[in-house]
Amino acid sequence: MTPPLIKLNQVSKKYLNQTALTNITFQLTKSGIYGVIGPNGSGKTTLLKIMAGLLRSSKGTVEIMEKPVTRLSSQHIAFLSEADSLYSFQTVNQMVDFCHNVMPDFSKDKALNMIQSLNIEKDKKIKHLSKGNRARVKIVLTLSRQVPVLLMDEPLSGLDPLVREDILRMIVMNVDVEEQILVLSTHEVSEVEPFLDHVIFMKNGTCLLEKSVEQLREEKGQSVVEAMREVLS
Amino acid sequence: MGLKFDHNRPIYIQLMEYLYGQICRSEMKPGEKLPSVRELAVKVGVNPNTVSRTYMEMERTHIVVTKRGQGTFVTEDAKTIQELRKTIADQQIDDFIVMMNQVGLSNEEISQLMLEKLKKRREEKE
């Protein structure tokens, strides 16, 4: 795997006449876990989709692994969408086979191991799984790809505390923080706080602060939640 | 999952204090292998990078030793552990004295109170 690298330069995005992002510039050069934090409508999803090459920015440039982002960048990026992205008629097993066939970097062993350790029945159809199990399967499929960049849009939203804990544990167990970048957006700030290396605060389509979490604590004696209160209010 | 952290202080320091506690109480013996970075990260619920940093800091103070390809081990040097215990105790006592002075107790009163407390505890045990 090549070392991960994401560069955004003065990125703006408009949906018709509605502005979603204005002038976002940052570089993610170090591997590790990044949290994109901000209220609803602050542009988190748009930002992630632009990084993934699923949306095109209206202005500015986005580079992933030293190349301008296109749909083909998906070979370097695993994207977890907030919406239901699985075929409901497939069984879990079929789904894993499908991913294995479609994505060359997909590790079937890793996926099956994770599914086994989560006690998910492999022969059940996706549509017959509970919401929590569906979320777990989605995370499994994302984490099973051996790519330098993982993007997760609201991996925890709408799930109960036990499932959230499970998902965070899976992330810690399966993301290689020395080789991969994981960017996740969330509002469960206090819950993900101990897992983050970096935070990116968003408000009204702008990026207000991009900082290392331990630096926040060391320099300001501030937790992420406190920093958020200061920055976003 | 795992430990409760005070989010206003660096987590790697808190994790270090937790491990130092275990080492000083001999819950982790000299020469014992520490869990791998990822294992500990999953157990206490933090980012693996934080655990790496903790191990690095502990190695810098020679409390643990990393053997290439084998993992991280508690030092076998009893003197180092004794020193660690002393440093932590000193620190705690200093903080305690400052705290007591702040509530207006003189040093004599502190030592008086301390002796009484310890005596009481001993009696309760018996």
Side-chain angles (χ1 to χ4, degrees), chain A residues 175-194:
Chain A
V175 173
D176 187 345
V177 290
E178 274 162 29
E179 301 274 336
Q180 294 176 304
I181 279 187
L182 166 67
V183 185
L184 56 89
S185 69
T186 185
H187 359 244
E188 316 283 346
V189 188
S190 50
E191 223 160 310
V192 296
E193 172 152 11

Side-chain angles (χ1 to χ4, degrees), chain A residues 32-33 165 169 172-177 193-197 214 217-218 221-223 226, chain B residues 1 5-14 38 41-42 45-50 52-53:
Chain A
I33 304 182
E165 211 169 90
R169 194 178 310 133
V172 173
M173 270 200 284
N174 293 291
V175 173
D176 187 345
V177 290
E193 172 152 11
F195 299 93
L196 299 181
D197 288 307
E214 292 284 54
R217 296 195 190 103
E218 259 164 273
Q222 246 179 352
S223 67
E226 278 168 18
Chain B
M1 196 158 28
F5 290 105
D6 166 7
H7 290 308
N8 298 318
R9 290 198 309 134
I11 290 180
Y12 80 94
I13 290 182
Q14 297 178 57
R38 197 168 294 233
V42 172
V46 298
N47 187 313
N49 278 333
T50 311
S52 304
R53 177 137 186 223

Side-chain angles (χ1 to χ4, degrees), chain A residues 194-207:
Chain A
F195 299 93
L196 299 181
D197 288 307
H198 259 81
V199 282
I200 300 166
F201 287 118
M202 302 270 305
K203 190 185 180 185
N204 296 331
T206 51
C207 168

